[in-house]
Amino acid sequence: MTEPARILVVGGGYVGMYTALRLQRQLGAELRAGTAEIVVVTPEPYMTYQPFLPEAAAGSISPRHVVVPLRRVLDRCRIVIGEVGSVDHAKRTATLSTLATEEEGTGAVHMTYDELVIAPGSVSRTLPVPGLADHGIGFKTVEEAIGLRNHVIEQMDIASSTRDPALRDAALTFVFVGGGYAGVEALAELEDMARYTARYYHNVKPEDLRWVLVEASDRILPEVGEEMGRYAVRELRGRNIDVRLGTRLESCEDRVAVLSDGTRLPTRTVVWTAGVKPAPVLAATDLPLNERGRLRCTAQLAVEGAPHAWAAGDAAAVPDVTAKEAGKECAPNAQHAVRQAKVLAENIAASLRGQPLKEYAHAYVGSVASLGLHKGVAHVYGRKLKGYPAWFMHRAYHLSRVPTFNRKARVLAEWTLSGLFKREIVSLGSLEHPRAEFELAASPPPGDGDKPQS
């Protein structure tokens, strides 16, 4: 009996999940007959819908509704929770570690494959800023989003209870680095949430909180255009948010954010959202990379010069065939990633069946961004929107894009309920250390270490 053709999908994010989902449908007959197999290797058993992270941080959406369980959606795929450390495509072999690898003590697992889909996504692009590794907070995962929410409310608790004015000011100063989608939307949603939360503190007022957005370029939200970017700056500054353009974070040692304009901000919160870079696994392959560390791909989403290797999304440098300028690549964003995954799955199925491949072609239609509750900016199909219409379009678009009807219904229900009832202002920071209470209870009291048990 011949072995089934194994399609190895590295990553369970946008591209990984949507490619595997589409392959399930495209290769239904082959999967049932046992002539094909889809294996998805991913560090987490879920896909995170990242555009909803700011609303999850603000408490508008439950964290469990921001993620999509892969085992439920990809019910005809084999899901392996682990990480691919390297790929030897010449030998059609991937080296991976799983949750059981360390326990077994047998070393890494070597998995062979026939077709390879590289879709590990990206990681935060950090710079050698002194103190960043010790005090910085990321905003790329649902854990980071909920952790940041808990942290912000905890700082308000500290400010409310301290008698030290310097500690109070540092606790109520929040610095966000990066003026892209992640930074602006996270800051705007959390500022909204914190301003509302302040009404329940007897000695913390909304004007006591200081929010600072640091951006190295001369504009924010470049995806929505220069005019809408300027409007977003005016909107944020109108809410007493300190927007620093053309400014960099030079240090955050000793809980003091030092900016390139000489400003020193004592703060207990530095959120780093200054861009992303390709996942490290790409450098551990024998596949061709461009100068930015992304895989060189054709318009058919195949890796150049590497038969049976495919890529899309953040990991892939895909030529934009709709662009007027030669050599332009598709932007590494969710709009392209979801559409690329569809073409990628169809091309893999066509390749297995000996059919012709098709090119990926999608003209960028524009962008929408939220600036907090009932506020937003949009530049879509050449039309510019701001305020409530843009915010409504932002919600409608992402509701249509979040995977599964189950998730759409739950998110819509939460939005409806949040419009009828007050915000939840609870911090559940103890969830990050679930054993702390038990460890304290199980520890012997001081001085009792030598007492015999009765």
Side-chain angles (χ1 to χ4, degrees), residues 4 28 44 73 111 133 162 171 174 218 221 247 273 278 309 322 392 394 399 452:
E44 306 292 347
V73 176
M111 180 178 288
T162 184
F174 306 96
D218 61 352
L221 298 174
T247 308
T273 61
T322 66
F392 183 82
H394 174 270
L399 184 66

Side-chain angles (χ1 to χ4, degrees), residues 363-387:
Y364 192 58
V365 299
S367 300
V368 291
S370 170
L371 299 178
L373 190 63
H374 300 159
K375 297 174 282 289
V377 289
H379 189 183
V380 182
Y381 291 114
R383 300 193 62 181
K384 300 169 184 176
L385 299 173
K386 56 189 178 183

Side-chain angles (χ1 to χ4, degrees), residues 292-316:
R292 295 185 179 180
R294 299 164 69 194
L295 292 168
R296 296 183 182 275
C297 292
T298 67
Q300 291 84 16
L301 304 174
V303 178
E304 286 185 0
H308 307 289
W310 313 80
D314 291 349

Side-chain angles (χ1 to χ4, degrees), residues 88-374:
D88 186 345
H89 189 64
K91 296 180 179 179
R92 303 288 195 276
T93 303
T95 302
L96 57 109
S97 58
T98 69
L99 292 177
T101 303
E102 187 174 342
E103 297 291 335
E104 293 173 343
T106 55
V109 177
H110 300 280
M111 180 178 288
T112 58
Y113 59 82
D114 297 283
E115 303 286 336
L116 175 68
V117 178
I118 295 279
S122 57
V123 298
S124 295
R125 177 174 57 85
T126 59
L127 298 176
V129 176
L132 182 62
D134 297 321
H135 304 297
I137 302 172
F139 197 79
K140 203 164 187 331
T141 67
V142 68
E143 294 85 359
E144 288 175 328
I146 304 310
L148 181 56
R149 169 188 170 81
N150 293 334
H151 174 83
V152 168
I153 297 177
E154 183 181 273
Q155 299 312 301
M156 296 177 71
D157 290 336
I158 290 173
S160 176
S161 58
T162 184
R163 290 177 290 181
D164 183 346
L167 175 57
R168 175 186 168 89
D169 290 345
L172 295 181
T173 300
F174 306 96
V175 178
F176 285 67
V177 183
Y181 279 125
V184 172
E185 291 191 340
L187 183 151
E189 291 284 354
L190 283 165
E191 189 273 339
D192 248 359
M193 183 272 293
R195 182 161 23 89
Y196 176 87
T197 303
R199 69 177 66 181
Y200 296 99
Y201 288 80
H202 72 283
N203 60 349
V204 176
K205 298 180 176 61
E207 53 268 26
D208 295 336
L209 282 71
R210 184 177 186 185
W211 300 83
V212 183
L213 178 63
V214 179
E215 168 54 41
S217 69
D218 61 352
R219 58 194 288 196
I220 65 172
L221 298 174
E223 297 88 351
V224 299
E226 189 173 349
E227 181 183 341
M228 290 295 96
R230 289 197 300 267
Y231 166 81
V233 170
R234 293 196 302 271
E235 167 67 27
L236 294 176
R237 286 175 173 166
R239 289 157 57 180
N240 291 322
I241 296 172
D242 186 356
V243 180
R244 304 284 184 102
L245 300 178
T247 308
R248 299 180 307 280
L249 176 70
E250 295 197 334
S251 170
C252 57
E253 289 183 305
D254 302 320
R255 294 191 179 277
V256 177
V258 180
L259 308 185
S260 59
D261 61 6
T263 304
R264 295 174 63 86
L265 299 168
T267 178
R268 297 171 58 85
T269 308
V270 175
V271 183
W272 184 268
T273 61
V276 296
K277 62 182 180 181
V281 67
L282 299 187
T285 71
D286 54 352
L287 301 172
L289 304 179
N290 69 0
E291 64 281 357
R292 295 185 179 180
R294 299 164 69 194
L295 292 168
R296 296 183 182 275
C297 292
T298 67
Q300 291 84 16
L301 304 174
V303 178
E304 286 185 0
H308 307 289
W310 313 80
D314 291 349
V318 179
D320 187 352
V321 299
T322 66
K324 296 178 181 178
E325 316 93 89
K328 188 172 182 181
E329 297 173 354
C330 296
N333 56 38
Q335 185 178 140
H336 281 298
V338 173
R339 290 171 171 83
Q340 286 174 356
K342 177 182 176 181
V343 176
L344 177 54
E346 292 174 353
N347 279 349
I348 292 174
S351 175
L352 291 174
R353 295 165 180 164
Q355 298 171 351
L357 310 183
K358 63 180 182 180
E359 292 187 340
Y360 170 74
H362 171 68
Y364 192 58
V365 299
S367 300
V368 291
S370 170
L371 299 178
L373 190 63
H374 300 159

Side-chain angles (χ1 to χ4, degrees), residues 38-80:
I38 305 170
V39 179
V40 180
V41 180
T42 173
E44 306 292 347
Y46 52 79
M47 185 274 268
T48 302
Y49 191 71
Q50 292 185 343
F52 280 160
L53 288 183
E55 292 204 48
S60 300
I61 301 177
S62 171
R64 67 183 184 278
H65 298 157
V66 177
V67 298
V68 180
L70 295 178
R71 294 189 190 280
R72 177 183 295 176
V73 176
L74 306 178
D75 56 336
R76 284 177 283 172
C77 298
R78 177 184 163 198
I79 307 297
V80 178

